[in-house]
């Protein structure tokens, strides 16, 4: 048995155990105190004995931060596909399904808008229970949409981070989310002059730390939270040095100037309220408001249909629906060459061009002969396929004929075939 599968088996056992205990009691991982779950929940999952801040789900956090009945979620049904066909002990898809069933979430972040003690905010909350809060393309996309929405509407933004880092199952697609989110934040902070507060909870590590967690205008953290980029052992082995005991704790980072404030969970909402209400009247920004209707997210069924369609059409592990030649050519060139050939092979001359000429009365405008038009098309195609086609099509169809003519249809059909719409 490999070590990994042994750990997995062990963790399954322990999770079964806590279920068997009926979910009434739990144990503090720090001091071992036995805690009554109902009371623990009322205390925001803070241990009564040692004041450790225990793990909280994103929904519980939501309830503790947002006024009841004011939450408007975004992109609830967004979930990932498996672009790499990733497989370790299980396939990525089945891991996703498991996590979705266990948590009732589609991915490891909740985004939306709501009121915090009456102040409208855009809020993102990560959930460590969903695959270690890892950031894949869905987390990246949801947060980016949230930030862009907040930018448009002039809302203040809070993101509660809890993550093991980028999701390795999606490879580079996970890593690029760091840049994507940071770019959106740059517009939000430096163009719209709006305020973003990052709240770091335990653990905040890896790609999340390396992007939006550390970009907050204000960075708050929970007491004793683990915050870092690489793990302790990795750093020790690399540097061949012993690291201080409290290394990568919130307190250590505060001491060294990486955080602005450490705040106990029960005071988080009041603290945020004070910061927000202080900032509310600051100049250089538009006032936050939340429109009633926005982002009608797709329902689960549609989402699933799109996913299946996508999986069927483009097996992403072989990057070409472009025909491949054995000669070494840049794929893009190949692509436009194919497009060009395809257009050439369409029956441009004779009937179709005649038909165009008739329907558009072009013959009266001395664009008459077949040769002229097909010659023009070919010349245009050879210079810049995409824009020239658009130009040509627009040129013809801007002349009063707004209905979809046969010609129009034909062009777009073949476009569809190429782009796999
Ligand atoms: Zn404790
Ligand atoms: Zn307390």
């Amino acid at each position: 048995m490999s070590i990994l599968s042994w750990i997995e088996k062990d963790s399954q056992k322990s999770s079964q155990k806590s279920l068997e205990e009926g979910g009434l009691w739990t144990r503090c991982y720090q001091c071992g105190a036995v805690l009554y779950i109902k009371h623990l929940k009322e205390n925001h999952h803070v241990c009564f004995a040692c004041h450790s801040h225990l793990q909280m789900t994103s929904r519980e956090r939501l309830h503790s931060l947002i006024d009841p009945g004011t939450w408007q979620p975004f992109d609830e049904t967004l979930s990932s596909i498996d672009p790499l066909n990733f497989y370790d002990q299980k396939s990525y898809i089945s891991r996703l399904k498991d996590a979705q069933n266990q948590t009732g979430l589609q991915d490891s972040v909740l985004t939306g808008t709501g009121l915090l003690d009456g102040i409208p905010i855009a809020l993102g909350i990560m959930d460590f229970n969903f695959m270690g809060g890892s950031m894949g393309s869905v987390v990246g996309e949801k947060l980016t949409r949230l930030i862009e929405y907040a930018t448009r509407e002039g809302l203040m933004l809070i993101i509660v981070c809890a993550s093991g880092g980028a999701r390795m199952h999606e490879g580079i697609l996970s890593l690029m989310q760091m840049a994507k989110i940071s770019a959106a934040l740059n517009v939000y902070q430096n163009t719209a002059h709006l305020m973003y507060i990052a709240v770091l909870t335990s653990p905040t590590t890896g790609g999340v730390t390396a992007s939006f967690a550390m970009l907050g205008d204000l960075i708050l953290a929970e007491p004793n939270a683990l915050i870092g980029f690489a793990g302790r052992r990795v750093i020790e082995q690399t540097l061949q040095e012993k690291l201080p005991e409290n290394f990568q704790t919130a307190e250590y980072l505060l001491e060294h100037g990486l955080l602005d404030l450490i705040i106990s969970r029960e005071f988080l909402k009041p603290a945020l309220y004070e910061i927000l209400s202080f900032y509310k009247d600051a100049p250089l920004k538009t006032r936050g408001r939340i429109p009633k209707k926005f982002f009608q997210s797709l329902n689960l069924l549609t989402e699933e249909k799109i996913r299946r369609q996508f999986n069927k059409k483009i097996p992403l592990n072989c990057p070409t629906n472009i025909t491949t030649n054995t000669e070494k050519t840049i794929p893009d060139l190949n692509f436009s060459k194919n497009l060009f050939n395809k257009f050439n092979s369409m029956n441009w001359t004779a009937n179709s061009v005649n038909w165009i000429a008739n329907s558009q009365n072009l013959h009266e405008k001395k664009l008459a002969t077949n040769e002229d038009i097909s010659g023009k098309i070919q010349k245009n195609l050879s210079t810049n396929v995409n824009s020239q086609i658009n130009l040509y099509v627009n040129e013809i169809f801007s002349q009063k004929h707004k209905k979809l003519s046969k010609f129009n249809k034909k062009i777009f059909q073949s476009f569809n075939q190429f782009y796999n719409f």
Side-chain angles (χ1 to χ4, degrees):
M1 197 193 293
S2 79
I3 293 178
L4 265 172
S5 59
W6 176 73
I7 292 170
E8 201 160 69
K9 219 175 176 186
D10 203 51
S11 67
Q12 271 173 5
K13 255 187 223 159
S14 64
S15 68
Q16 271 168 6
K17 218 183 200 174
S18 66
L19 275 178
E20 276 165 14
E21 282 164 15
L24 281 179
W25 299 89
T26 187
R27 214 173 252 282
C28 172
Y29 76 98
Q30 200 74 25
C31 69
V34 176
L35 302 160
Y36 188 44
I37 287 181
K38 194 182 158 204
H39 290 166
L40 190 63
K41 276 185 180 166
E42 284 165 6
N43 200 35
H44 310 285
H45 291 260
V46 176
C47 173
F48 290 100
C50 71
H51 208 254
S52 281
H53 284 54
L54 306 177
Q55 203 60 246
M56 222 174 159
T57 69
S58 49
R59 288 227 174 76
E60 286 163 340
R61 266 186 201 284
L62 183 67
H63 291 308
S64 75
L65 287 179
I66 292 291
D67 303 346
T70 64
W71 178 245
Q72 290 182 329
F74 292 167
D75 308 307
E76 274 183 300
T77 59
L78 210 61
S79 76
S80 188
I81 54 160
D82 181 12
L84 305 180
N85 286 330
F86 194 94
Y87 194 94
D88 42 73
Q89 271 112 40
K90 278 191 220 165
S91 67
Y92 174 42
I93 286 293
S94 69
R95 275 190 195 283
L96 266 181
K97 287 257 158 66
D98 288 352
Q100 284 167 350
N101 291 336
Q102 272 166 25
T103 58
L105 301 167
Q106 285 295 298
D107 214 294
S108 53
V109 72
L110 291 180
T111 55
T113 57
L115 300 179
L116 189 149
D117 280 337
I119 303 175
I121 56 163
L123 177 68
I125 305 175
M126 303 189 77
D127 196 317
F128 192 74
N129 299 307
F130 192 103
M131 297 188 76
S134 53
M135 172 173 63
S137 44
V138 172
V139 171
E141 183 61 23
K142 283 180 83 169
L143 285 177
T144 307
R145 285 184 194 181
L146 178 76
I147 295 163
E148 286 176 345
Y149 176 78
T151 309
R152 271 200 304 280
E153 298 299 331
L155 284 173
M156 291 174 277
L157 172 73
I158 297 174
I159 299 179
V160 181
C161 308
S163 176
R167 188 175 293 169
M168 61 174 178
H169 310 74
E170 290 180 32
I172 195 70
L173 295 174
S174 294
L175 293 187
M176 67 162 275
Q177 306 307 324
M178 294 165 63
K180 190 166 91 181
I181 295 168
S182 304
L185 271 178
N186 182 39
V187 175
Y188 175 86
Q189 293 173 305
N190 299 328
T191 308
H193 303 292
L194 291 160
M195 182 176 64
Y196 160 46
I197 302 174
V199 180
L200 314 189
T201 70
S202 198
T204 297
T205 55
V208 169
T209 309
S211 57
F212 57 92
M214 286 297 162
L215 287 174
D217 295 301
L218 283 170
I219 306 176
L220 317 187
E222 289 189 341
N224 207 28
L226 172 77
I227 301 161
F229 181 63
R232 180 192 191 91
R233 257 175 303 169
V234 176
I235 300 174
E236 276 181 338
Q237 277 163 19
T238 313
L239 297 180
Q240 300 289 326
E241 248 177 68
K242 191 102 182 79
L243 295 166
E245 197 49 49
N246 58 353
F247 178 70
Q248 288 188 336
T249 60
E251 287 73 12
Y252 184 87
L253 295 181
L254 181 74
E255 227 170 87
H256 291 80
L258 269 88
L259 303 179
D260 296 300
L261 182 66
I262 292 177
I263 190 136
S264 203
R265 207 175 269 161
E266 59 261 47
F267 300 119
L268 181 61
K269 189 174 180 180
L272 285 173
Y273 173 77
E274 264 187 46
I275 296 169
L276 293 175
S277 58
F278 182 64
Y279 176 78
K280 210 167 50 170
D281 306 317
L284 291 173
K285 61 168 184 58
T286 52
R287 203 179 190 83
R289 65 189 168 83
I290 303 171
K292 280 270 154 58
K293 270 188 183 173
F294 192 76
F295 279 159
Q296 270 203 328
S297 57
L298 300 170
N299 61 33
L300 275 172
L301 194 67
T302 326
E303 197 85 48
E304 184 61 27
K305 271 183 195 161
I306 293 171
R307 191 181 352 273
R308 284 189 187 169
Q309 233 168 11
F310 183 85
N311 282 335
K312 226 185 290 169
K313 273 188 179 158
I314 308 166
L316 272 175
N317 47 353
C318 69
T320 44
N321 47 358
I322 306 152
T323 53
T324 45
N325 292 336
T326 38
E327 51 181 281
K328 283 183 186 171
T329 45
I330 305 162
D332 273 343
L333 284 179
N334 245 342
F335 180 63
S336 39
K337 206 164 82 187
N338 284 333
L339 192 60
F340 179 71
N341 289 337
K342 177 78 178 181
F343 267 88
N344 269 352
S345 69
M346 278 170 65
N347 229 344
W348 282 100
T349 47
N351 287 336
S352 54
V353 175
N354 250 334
W355 189 86
I356 304 165
N358 286 331
S359 68
Q360 303 298 330
N361 292 329
L362 287 180
H363 57 292
E364 287 171 9
K365 295 174 184 171
K366 293 175 185 176
L367 283 165
T369 64
N370 296 347
E371 288 79 10
D372 276 352
I373 293 180
S374 60
K376 188 180 175 187
I377 291 171
Q378 287 194 1
K379 197 175 146 201
N380 283 342
L381 280 175
S382 60
T383 45
N384 180 338
V385 182
N386 282 336
S387 63
Q388 291 299 337
I389 288 172
N390 282 338
L391 251 181
Y392 188 76
V393 171
N394 287 338
E395 203 176 296
I396 292 176
F397 288 99
S398 58
Q399 302 164 5
K400 290 180 188 174
H401 293 265
K402 285 179 181 171
K403 282 183 186 173
L404 263 186
S405 64
K406 274 184 196 168
F407 170 73
N408 203 342
K409 269 184 191 161
K410 198 168 180 182
I411 283 190
F412 286 105
Q413 266 166 13
S414 63
F415 258 108
N416 286 349
Q417 280 160 15
F418 268 100
Y419 289 112
N420 276 325
F421 283 146

